[in-house]
């Protein structure tokens, strides 16, 4: 990869017998040393652009040959990302917001450090990651473009507690209808949204609902907490 301010490896591909010397001439290129005598040097270019590099190869008999090629140095991308409200036990979408440089992106990598200190890697854009426990986590995002140039950014995120929705009900059946008393078994929630499947909704913690038409009804409970994390519980009731 040929990226600005990063080590660029130049690989000798010369052929011949008893090769003995290699001289790399960088001319006016923005490198620390204009002449390098290694066979496979690593050189840092400190500016963007195309730079002619000359290689002179000699053998032990004093014979030599040379070749000049242009080395193009590319700009680094700028990594950035956003993420959804991070709640425990919920798939959180991490979305790349990086600024491309000279080429389009070829790879998106995400590294999450959990409690054991060992990063777990994910790929894709967006990447959906589930955190089983609340707490602080370090998320590192690495983007790499088609030229192999990359950048990374790390952020510590706080995964918030998620409520656990649950309920049951008691049934009181009359001659022409049935009334259900809901018993809320949710933990960790502040807001409750009931939908009884018959056009009736409620924001009470433990409401009652009456059914008078035969049918199968889906009862759902959506709960939220102060961190805007939510959970849902669903049950069905058949009235006949």
């Amino acid at each position: 990869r040929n990226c600005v301010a990063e080590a660029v490896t130049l690989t000798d591909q010369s052929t011949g017998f008893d090769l003995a010397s290699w001289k790399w001439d960088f001319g006016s290129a923005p490198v620390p040393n204009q002449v390098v005598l290694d066979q496979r040097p690593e050189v840092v270019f400190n500016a963007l652009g195309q730079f002619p590099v000359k290689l002179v190869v000699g053998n032990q008999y004093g014979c030599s040959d040379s070749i000049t090629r242009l080395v193009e140095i590319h700009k680094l991308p700028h990594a950035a990302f956003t993420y959804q409200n991070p709640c425990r036990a919920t798939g959180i979408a991490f979305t790349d917001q990086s600024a491309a440089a000279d080429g389009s992106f070829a790879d998106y990598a995400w590294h999450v450090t959990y409690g054991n200190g060992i990063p777990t890697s994910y790929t894709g854009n967006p990447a959906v990651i589930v955190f089983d426990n609340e707490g602080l986590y370090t998320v590192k995002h690495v983007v790499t473009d088609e030229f192999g140039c990359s950048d990374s950014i790390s952020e510590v995120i706080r995964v918030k507690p998620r409520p656990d929705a649950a309920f049951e009900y008691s049934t009181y059946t009359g001659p022409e209808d049935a009334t259900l008393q809901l018993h809320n078994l949710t933990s960790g929630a502040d807001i409750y949204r009931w939908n009884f499947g018959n056009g009736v909704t409620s924001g009470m913690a433990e409401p009652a609902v009456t059914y008078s038409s035969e049918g199968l009804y889906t009862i759902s409970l959506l709960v939220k907490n102060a961190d805007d994390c939510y959970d849902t519980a669903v049950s069905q009731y058949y009235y006949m």
Side-chain angles (χ1 to χ4, degrees):
R1 62 185 193 178
N2 303 342
C3 311
V4 68
E6 295 187 353
V8 176
T9 301
L10 301 175
T11 303
D12 168 53
Q13 295 182 331
S14 305
T15 59
F17 295 101
D18 302 322
L19 299 181
S21 65
W22 295 264
K23 177 183 178 181
W24 300 83
D25 188 344
F26 295 92
S28 60
V31 296
N33 300 299
Q34 304 310 121
V35 176
V36 178
L37 302 180
D38 296 333
Q39 182 181 5
R40 192 172 183 266
E42 289 189 349
V43 183
V44 176
F45 290 78
N46 293 310
L48 305 173
Q50 294 182 332
F51 305 98
V53 177
K54 182 179 180 180
L55 170 61
V56 181
V57 179
N59 61 21
Q60 64 182 9
Y61 309 110
C63 300
S64 64
D65 190 23
S66 66
I67 183 175
T68 300
R69 293 189 59 182
L70 283 176
V71 176
E72 183 174 6
I73 302 302
H74 299 283
K75 183 179 180 181
L76 296 175
H78 179 72
F81 68 91
T82 59
Y83 53 91
Q84 294 174 319
N85 187 32
C87 302
R88 174 190 64 82
T90 303
I92 303 168
F94 289 80
T95 304
D96 174 71
Q97 297 291 334
S98 303
D102 292 344
S104 58
F105 289 122
D107 184 70
Y108 304 89
W110 310 82
H111 309 286
V112 179
T113 302
Y114 294 98
N116 58 10
I118 301 175
T120 300
S121 297
Y122 305 86
T123 59
N125 180 43
V128 178
I129 302 174
V130 177
F131 296 83
D132 293 330
N133 299 293
E134 60 192 84
L136 298 178
Y137 298 87
T138 298
V139 178
K140 180 179 181 181
H141 179 37
V142 183
V143 288
T144 305
D145 67 19
E146 60 184 298
F147 299 111
C149 298
S150 64
D151 188 31
S152 66
I153 183 173
S154 295
E155 184 174 340
V156 176
I157 70 168
R158 182 177 76 88
V159 175
K160 306 170 186 178
R162 190 193 76 168
D164 293 308
F167 69 90
E168 58 186 23
Y169 55 81
S170 302
T171 306
Y172 304 93
T173 304
E176 296 182 356
D177 57 26
T179 298
L180 272 59
Q181 176 62 55
L182 282 303
H183 305 292
N184 196 335
L185 305 178
T186 300
S187 61
D190 304 299
I191 299 174
Y192 309 98
R193 294 287 183 266
W194 296 89
N195 188 318
F196 300 108
N198 62 348
V200 178
T201 60
S202 175
M204 298 175 60
E206 294 190 327
V209 59
T210 299
Y211 295 98
S212 56
S213 298
E214 181 176 353
L216 179 66
Y217 297 91
T218 297
I219 304 171
S220 64
L221 170 62
L222 172 69
V223 300
K224 285 187 177 183
N225 61 16
D227 289 315
D228 202 30
C229 296
Y230 64 89
D231 191 25
T232 302
V234 177
S235 183
Q236 290 187 320
Y237 170 72
Y238 187 78
Y239 173 70
M240 60 180 299

